[in-house]
Amino acid sequence: MAKAKTQFVCQNCGTVHTRWAGKCDGCGEWNTIVEDDPMGGIGGGPGKTPKKGRAVALTTLSGETEEAPRVQTGISELDRVTGGGFVRGSAVLVGGDPGIGKSTLLMQAAAALSRRGHRIIYVSGEEAVAQVRLRAQRLGAANTDVLLAAETNVEDILATLAEGKRPDLVIIDSIQTLWSDTADSAPGTVTQVRTGVQAMIRFAKQTGAAMVLVGHVTKEGQIAGPRVVEHMVDAVLYFEGDRGHHYRILRTVKNRFGPTDEIGVFEMSDKGLREVSNPSELFLGERNAKAPGAAVFAGMEGTRPVLVEVQALVAPTSLGTPRRAVVGWDSARLSMILAVLEAHCGVKLGQHDVYLNVAGGYRITEPAADVAVAAALVSSLANVPLPSERVYFGEVSLSGAVRPVSQTAQRLKEAEKLGFSSAMLPASSAEIPKGGKKGSSEIEGLPDLVVEIAGSARKLGKGQEED
Ligand code: TYD
Ligand code: MG
């Protein structure tokens, strides 16, 4: 029989090593590697007799499900992100930077649910009861029937939850404070967090209560005990935002019961988070339409169109290597657009610094923004403002061709709603209204865009000469 080899596993990132080391190559953490039985006890090693299994009843896919399987908060930005409310018996992880507003959001959700007659239990491990009460007063949630506990021990929390009527929703703020008697490592370690979360998930599945777990993102941008709980829960939501701005975005990263590309937009005020039902107005708020280097991108976030301004500044460089700085977009993607402009459009940017910014601190993840970025860059280089009533979208390929993107009709509709009468879009877009839109240009490649902007620069130049 082959000898079972021992292996060493990092408790922080899960990297498997063949020998023990002080530092993990995978994540760079110290003292996180421990010896592990590769069989994990499954199948039993020598000396272990497997216990005789108990047959479970097999069932069919169709069958009775509890009616109203979701608890809706009535906060529509939150309900959209969860896919229509929190699912009973499921566990949702809400992650985000410390201080971003997770406790505020969940206290507001708890209050809203409680007003709808649900039994809500809020377990705070980070703040004392007095602090939570103070926040609740500020949010106007103090007069609701939300039940509050300040506790961190897993067994005590479970005993508390088991008492009385089954809660509809339980909020654990946060998982990093949980500790269990059964795990012998210190609170806050991966083992403790994992054990605590497992116990909470088990409670949710057994009782049918919805469980919301709050987790702080560590400096690497992952939820502490990096990724150790993401796979265990049913849905993962990230609460993001820029500290310099008031608004916050709740984004779905994983959802077993709904779409994963939805966002909810909120604004932090002195009375808590306020829903923003029309984010485009917010992101276009302080727009100066006459400035060169600004292009409005008609984007999509899941099922919802969002208009944002892309700003570029192209200036001759005084350095040997020109600077490229990007906020709110992928810097590798910017390099690609610059290369395509150089190679296929004759736009030379090798001697220029390039700065790119997405207005309002918003982050674009769609490749459809390529055309808007290129338009902003060329507009800044040529020092001509783009038409103020125009939106831009389309994906650029390395050959310089502009490829169609999805949901063209919805993008155009949102643009029209906000007073943008024309668009620059890929020529081969399906779903374009017949005959195209008045004043719109359908482009096949990036050179078309450059020609058009250069054309308006010439016209503008002539106009100025005549003046
Ligand atoms: P909090 O919900 O405690 O953050 P987290 O739980 O994610 O750590 O929110 C903290 C920040 O929100 C804090 O900097 C103050 C701000 N805030 C407001 O601006 N208005 C409010 O009404 C509340 C409750 C908080
Ligand atoms: Mg908090």
Side-chain angles (χ1 to χ4, degrees):
M1 200 183 105
K3 188 169 160 271
K5 265 211 288 206
T6 46
Q7 59 179 19
F8 298 85
V9 179
C10 171
Q11 298 295 294
N12 190 44
C13 67
T15 307
V16 178
H17 303 259
T18 49
R19 64 175 70 179
W20 189 87
K23 187 183 177 188
C24 171
D25 306 332
C27 60
E29 284 294 318
W30 287 89
N31 291 331
T32 54
I33 298 175
V34 294
E35 188 176 341
D36 195 32
D37 175 7
M39 302 299 283
I42 300 166
K48 274 193 198 161
T49 30
K51 120 176 193 271
K52 194 163 186 302
R54 171 179 63 87
V56 295
L58 298 171
T59 180
T60 56
L61 290 175
S62 62
E64 295 279 303
T65 29
E66 192 186 349
E67 95 270 29
R70 289 182 187 263
V71 273
Q72 284 188 341
T73 58
I75 304 174
S76 59
E77 293 295 305
L78 177 61
D79 288 341
R80 180 192 2 257
V81 174
T82 51
F86 294 108
V87 176
R88 289 183 197 275
S90 80
V92 179
L93 178 66
V94 178
D97 288 327
I100 204 77
K102 300 181 294 297
S103 305
T104 307
L105 174 72
L106 293 172
M107 179 50 79
Q108 283 181 276
L113 285 166
S114 175
R115 284 197 195 99
R116 294 177 153 218
H118 294 294
R119 186 176 145 91
I120 312 297
I121 299 183
Y122 190 107
V123 182
S124 174
E126 307 213 318
E127 290 154 304
V129 168
Q131 284 173 293
V132 180
R133 278 191 185 144
L134 213 65
R135 179 187 292 116
Q137 271 164 19
R138 197 160 151 188
L139 301 173
N143 59 354
T144 58
D145 297 325
V146 175
L147 299 162
L148 181 64
E151 185 51 64
T152 54
N153 181 271
V154 173
E155 285 74 28
D156 291 349
I157 294 174
L158 290 177
T160 314
L161 296 182
E163 247 175 35
K165 204 174 139 253
R166 178 199 79 173
D168 292 294
L169 185 95
V170 180
I171 297 164
I172 306 287
D173 189 3
S174 67
I175 57 168
Q176 273 93 357
T177 58
L178 290 180
W179 65 279
S180 163
D181 300 327
T182 58
D184 42 30
S185 43
T189 56
V190 178
T191 318
Q192 285 287 9
V193 170
R194 203 186 265 162
T195 313
V197 169
Q198 227 148 28
M200 294 306 148
I201 294 175
R202 209 174 312 124
F203 176 83
K205 306 270 171 207
Q206 277 167 0
T207 61
M211 181 70 66
V212 179
L213 305 161
V214 176
H216 293 293
V217 168
T218 54
K219 56 185 185 302
E220 291 85 28
Q222 296 160 331
I223 290 177
R227 306 212 168 257
V228 287
V229 293
E230 276 192 17
H231 67 280
M232 289 157 52
V233 294
D234 298 299
V236 180
L237 312 177
Y238 274 98
F239 205 35
E240 338 171 308
D242 195 288
R243 273 176 196 275
H245 295 91
H246 284 303
Y247 69 85
R248 305 279 181 262
I249 294 173
L250 188 65
R251 198 183 283 280
T252 337
V253 178
K254 161 182 172 178
N255 195 350
R256 286 186 184 148
F257 311 108
T260 53
D261 48 6
E262 292 293 355
I263 61 163
V265 184
F266 298 89
E267 193 179 357
M268 183 62 96
S269 71
D270 57 347
K271 289 199 176 60
L273 292 155
R274 201 177 58 77
E275 288 182 74
V276 178
S277 46
N278 194 343
S280 302
E281 272 170 19
L282 191 78
F283 298 134
L284 292 176
E286 295 132 27
R287 198 166 117 74
N288 174 9
K290 296 220 169 58
V296 176
F297 166 54
M300 293 295 298
E301 280 288 353
T303 55
R304 163 183 228 211
V306 179
L307 261 53
V308 274
E309 188 182 69
V310 178
Q311 304 161 347
L313 175 64
V314 178
T317 185
S318 53
L319 304 166
T321 316
R323 266 170 157 273
R324 267 93 181 91
V326 192
V327 178
W329 208 48
D330 184 14
S331 59
R333 200 115 195 138
L334 173 67
S335 305
M336 192 197 99
I337 299 294
L338 293 176
V340 173
L341 282 172
E342 289 238 21
H344 299 289
C345 312
V347 178
K348 299 271 177 267
L349 291 156
Q351 297 301 316
H352 289 82
D353 288 336
V354 174
Y355 302 89
L356 191 79
N357 179 39
V358 177
Y362 180 75
R363 216 190 138 68
I364 302 178
T365 48
E366 265 192 301
D370 292 353
V371 166
V373 170
L377 290 171
V378 176
S379 157
S380 176
L381 181 70
N383 200 26
V384 262
L386 297 167
S388 61
E389 74 304 331
R390 174 166 280 195
V391 294
Y392 296 80
F393 60 88
E395 184 179 344
V396 172
S397 68
L398 284 178
S399 65
V402 172
R403 283 203 295 244
V405 293
S406 61
Q407 293 159 301
T408 303
Q410 260 153 296
R411 293 175 203 264
L412 292 175
K413 208 165 125 204
E414 172 80 357
E416 198 162 11
K417 209 166 84 192
L418 289 163
F420 292 87
S421 55
S422 77
M424 180 172 277
L425 70 170
S428 38
S429 299
E431 8 153 7
I432 299 186
K434 253 238 144 63
K437 276 171 86 82
K438 186 164 61 74
S440 289
S441 18
E442 294 173 23
I443 55 170
E444 285 189 355
L446 218 43
D448 300 349
L449 177 143
V450 176
V451 166
E452 190 163 323
I453 295 174
S456 60
R458 221 165 292 129
K459 252 188 260 159
L460 204 76
K462 244 189 223 150
Q464 277 165 355
E465 274 160 34
E466 280 164 18
D467 282 348

